Amino acid sequence: MLTKGGCPKNMLSIRDALEALEGRWKLLILFSLQAGAKRFKEISKEVNGITDKTLSKELKILEMNRLVKREVYDTFPPTVEYTITAHGKSLEKVMEELHYWGLAHRKEIMGK
Amino acid sequence: MLTKGGCPKNMLSIRDALEALEGRWKLLILFSLQAGAKRFKEISKEVNGITDKTLSKELKILEMNRLVKREVYDTFPPTVEYTITAHGKSLEKVMEELHYWGLAHRKEIMGK
């Protein structure tokens, strides 16, 4: 295991990842975009509990980190859609492991 | 892929995981404990940038979530050590994926 032994160099990359994904919302937003491009209101509806202000701020940070792309279509009125980038999609394994661990954690905490 | 398609049920388990691991410190603390039991000051030194107040708060939450065990040894003065539990160790795959992704992210952001 690469992470065994608490090697400081590995801690640095985990820190990089945690900083880019900080908070409880970014991965949930990316998860909701995995199913396809979405408009602001659609994301806001899917990611239960997020306020519009927070979603707007989080989308900007995700865009800055090249995880999400914002596209404006020349319709009337203009349509804005958010899509997950290839780099955002590369988080799939992280999300999958978090999903499995989340299930195990619920069992550990609630099931005993 | 289980996480494909943004299935709301999978989002719930990811949300559970993110809530238990919230913030930028918990996984770093657990990572530092993977190498073996440590005293408060040792963790504080390894997890660069954390304040004693935050470390103390985070350790309590980790203990509550059964990820860390606090052990008091009957020495004079008493020794307190923190160890990672089996449940904490089960985060190894999550950390490994975050490590790989952190490396890729650094390349994506800095390397272009």
Side-chain angles (χ1 to χ4, degrees), chain A residues 21-35:
Chain A
L21 307 172
E22 206 185 1
R24 64 173 73 191
W25 300 116
K26 291 185 189 70
L27 278 171
L28 296 178
I29 295 167
L30 292 171
F31 183 78
S32 121
L33 291 175
Q34 274 192 336

Side-chain angles (χ1 to χ4, degrees), chain A residues 1-3 10 13 15-16 19 22 24 34 48 66 87 90 96 99-101 105-106 108, chain B residues 1-3 10 13 15-16 19 22 24 34 48 66 87 90 96 99-101 105-106 108:
Chain A
M1 285 284 154
L2 254 179
T3 52
N10 294 344
S13 53
R15 189 185 280 257
D16 281 347
E19 271 174 28
E22 206 185 1
R24 64 173 73 191
Q34 274 192 336
N48 221 338
R66 297 195 192 155
H87 184 46
S90 74
E96 203 174 58
H99 159 70
Y100 288 128
W101 190 82
H105 180 60
R106 183 166 278 243
E108 172 81 20
Chain B
M1 285 285 153
L2 254 179
T3 51
N10 294 345
S13 53
R15 187 184 283 258
D16 281 347
E19 273 174 27
E22 207 185 1
R24 66 172 72 191
Q34 273 192 336
N48 220 337
R66 297 195 193 155
H87 184 45
S90 73
E96 204 173 57
H99 160 70
Y100 288 127
W101 190 83
H105 180 61
R106 182 165 279 243
E108 172 80 21

